[in-house]
Amino acid sequence: MMAISKEVTENAEVGRKGILDAAAQLFGRQGYGAVSLRMIAEAAGIKAGSIYYHFASKDAIITEILDAGIQAVHDEVGDRLAALDADAPARDVLRAVIRGHLSALLEHGDYTSANVRIFGQVPPAVRDANLPVRRAYESFLDGLLSDLQAQGAIRGDINLPRFRLMLIGALNATLEWFDPQKGDAEGLADDYADMFLTGILNRDGEKT
Amino acid sequence: MMAISKEVTENAEVGRKGILDAAAQLFGRQGYGAVSLRMIAEAAGIKAGSIYYHFASKDAIITEILDAGIQAVHDEVGDRLAALDADAPARDVLRAVIRGHLSALLEHGDYTSANVRIFGQVPPAVRDANLPVRRAYESFLDGLLSDLQAQGAIRGDINLPRFRLMLIGALNATLEWFDPQKGDAEGLADDYADMFLTGILNRDGEKT
DNA sequence: CCGCCTACCTAACGCTTGTTAGGCTGCGAG
DNA sequence: CTCGCAGCCTAACAAGCGTTAGGTAGGCGG
């Protein structure tokens, strides 16, 4: 009884959540194809056949992870924006978006990085199932950018859907090289924000 | 004899190159895990076992494709730069880089898009084998950017390695959504160049 | 105590994959 | 004509995979 109780305590992540957590971590690190159910089961402390008690299929696991990943980013970005003053300048708004996105991706990001890492690899049906959540986040960003452009804060000639694609593409690519143990995600976010917002050319003429 | 000769003519890509071409196309479209040797062989008009006459392993095919993909981008960017005047302004130089990269990726890009698409999915040893070619391109870009910064054309406070990562990340991400049948890659390149170089904020104050 | 339910285990299945070893054919050169 | 080589075919193998069906054990409630 006491021994069993200790075991349950240590394997607090056993069960459905444990499987999802283990899978998200493995997919985020190793990609889709390199992760088998046997690997996930082992990381979760069970055997592969047992996974079917909790999930109908491998794809069902992946579908949940993909959705949770995008939702986590959306929520983090939303939280960062909510923490701003109502009249915060556009620069602060956009910086908050970039900070939120990178934080969700690089610092709390098993599910998020799994999504970014494997979305393009999963079977088409699984990918399609993730589109609604994905599109909700995209629309959220598009709306925000559109408002900022309407206010005159963002240049009127900027193609906003393209900018959003460019932004997300660049942010998600950080996953391949950024090491949270070595680097400062917030500093990275601020560097990126600066470059996106102000551009890299020296505006005091082409030469100093 | 005549019938055989016709057959050879129509299967002009049979052999080593035919296998590589077929594989690059399949990998670029479907990713790493979804493409088997049997699929590649079928697309090349042969049977899977025959591939071993030309290549030692599946990984050997992939290794060649990855290298050719990066080299194609590097060459295209190099050609675009060589076509510029020696005193071309920084804006034109950087635009040429972006145009070259996107052209190689989106318009002549089986090998290139295969590289971008599958690099993160292949076994670690295969990935490592691609690093020298990859690093050569990165160094090339870094050197260019460094020169432009030294000339004062790029702001002195820009972290160039980060900018280069951001740039390549954004450019490569276009592969996931851009359709060359529907869109204008050069227009896209110029949009991206404008945003990267000038930034998106309205510099006539935060509001018009 | 018994039965039910939760949460797992196990052995096996069918399928797919990369690969191998042996074979065949056509063409060109001697 | 013969031989050698290039370039393929074929059947099979071993390994790994997602999945299934049947089983077990523990805990809880009646």
Side-chain angles (χ1 to χ4, degrees):
Chain A
M1 181 71 88
M2 172 75 86
I4 292 174
S5 175
K6 186 178 182 231
E7 207 166 318
V8 168
T9 301
E10 293 194 340
N11 295 314
E13 304 291 2
V14 166
R16 206 173 189 289
K17 184 169 187 300
I19 294 167
L20 284 171
D21 288 350
Q25 195 167 70
L26 286 167
F27 285 126
R29 288 183 184 163
Q30 301 185 34
Y32 175 72
V35 176
S36 65
L37 282 184
R38 287 169 176 86
M39 287 172 65
I40 293 168
E42 185 179 352
I46 58 173
K47 298 293 186 179
S50 308
I51 288 179
Y52 289 89
Y53 179 75
H54 299 275
F55 296 94
S57 65
K58 187 179 184 183
D59 283 353
I61 299 178
I62 291 167
T63 297
E64 280 206 40
I65 288 171
L66 292 184
D67 283 354
I70 295 269
Q71 197 59 52
V73 178
H74 193 156
D75 292 344
E76 183 68 28
V77 171
D79 291 347
R80 297 299 181 107
L81 292 173
L84 290 181
D85 289 343
D87 57 348
R91 183 175 291 273
D92 291 350
V93 171
L94 291 164
R95 189 187 286 132
V97 167
I98 294 169
R99 277 178 172 180
H101 190 104
L102 282 184
S103 173
L105 187 59
L106 302 175
E107 290 176 335
H108 314 97
D110 281 347
Y111 287 77
T112 308
S113 56
N115 180 302
V116 170
R117 181 76 188 271
I118 71 172
F119 178 76
Q121 301 169 38
V122 301
V126 177
R127 199 183 310 154
D128 291 347
N130 188 235
L131 293 182
V133 185
R134 204 171 181 86
R135 293 223 168 103
Y137 180 51
E138 290 169 356
S139 295
F140 172 70
L141 292 180
D142 286 344
L144 181 77
L145 294 171
S146 184
D147 288 345
L148 292 176
Q149 192 172 53
Q151 294 166 25
I154 292 180
R155 290 163 43 194
D157 59 333
I158 296 290
N159 180 324
L160 291 179
R162 279 188 176 175
F163 173 67
R164 193 251 303 146
L165 286 162
M166 174 173 139
L167 175 68
I168 300 302
L171 294 181
N172 287 348
T174 61
L175 197 56
E176 291 171 28
W177 59 266
F178 185 78
D179 181 350
Q181 313 283 0
K182 294 187 187 169
D184 164 32
E186 189 158 284
L188 178 65
D190 290 350
D191 259 7
Y192 270 38
D194 179 50
M195 291 189 276
F196 276 121
L197 303 188
T198 307
I200 67 163
L201 284 191
N202 203 330
R203 294 295 287 275
D204 303 331
E206 298 271 25
K207 307 204 179 210
T208 304
Chain B
M1 179 74 85
M2 174 75 86
I4 292 174
S5 173
K6 184 176 183 233
E7 206 166 320
V8 168
T9 300
E10 292 194 341
N11 295 315
E13 304 292 2
V14 166
R16 208 173 190 287
K17 184 168 187 296
I19 294 167
L20 284 170
D21 289 350
Q25 196 167 68
L26 287 167
F27 285 125
R29 289 183 184 162
Q30 302 186 34
Y32 174 73
V35 177
S36 66
L37 281 184
R38 288 171 174 80
M39 288 173 65
I40 293 169
E42 186 179 352
I46 57 174
K47 298 293 185 177
S50 308
I51 288 178
Y52 289 88
Y53 178 77
H54 300 274
F55 296 94
S57 65
K58 186 180 184 181
D59 283 352
I61 299 177
I62 292 166
T63 298
E64 281 206 39
I65 289 170
L66 290 184
D67 283 354
I70 295 270
Q71 197 58 51
V73 177
H74 193 156
D75 292 344
E76 182 68 29
V77 171
D79 291 347
R80 299 297 181 108
L81 292 174
L84 291 181
D85 288 345
D87 56 349
R91 182 176 290 274
D92 291 349
V93 170
L94 291 165
R95 191 188 285 130
V97 168
I98 294 168
R99 277 180 171 178
H101 189 103
L102 282 184
S103 173
L105 186 59
L106 302 175
E107 290 176 337
H108 315 96
D110 282 347
Y111 287 79
T112 308
S113 54
N115 180 301
V116 170
R117 182 76 188 272
I118 72 173
F119 178 76
Q121 302 170 35
V122 301
V126 178
R127 199 183 310 157
D128 291 347
N130 186 235
L131 292 182
V133 184
R134 204 169 181 87
R135 294 218 167 108
Y137 181 52
E138 289 168 355
S139 296
F140 172 70
L141 292 180
D142 286 345
L144 180 77
L145 294 171
S146 182
D147 288 347
L148 292 177
Q149 191 173 54
Q151 295 165 26
I154 293 179
R155 288 164 43 196
D157 59 333
I158 295 289
N159 180 325
L160 291 179
R162 280 189 174 172
F163 172 67
R164 192 255 299 148
L165 285 162
M166 173 173 139
L167 176 66
I168 299 302
L171 295 180
N172 286 348
T174 60
L175 196 57
E176 290 172 27
W177 60 266
F178 186 78
D179 183 349
Q181 313 283 0
K182 294 185 185 171
D184 164 32
E186 189 160 285
L188 178 66
D190 291 349
D191 259 6
Y192 269 39
D194 180 52
M195 291 189 274
F196 277 121
L197 304 188
T198 307
I200 66 163
L201 284 191
N202 203 331
R203 293 294 288 271
D204 304 332
E206 297 273 24
K207 308 206 178 208
T208 304

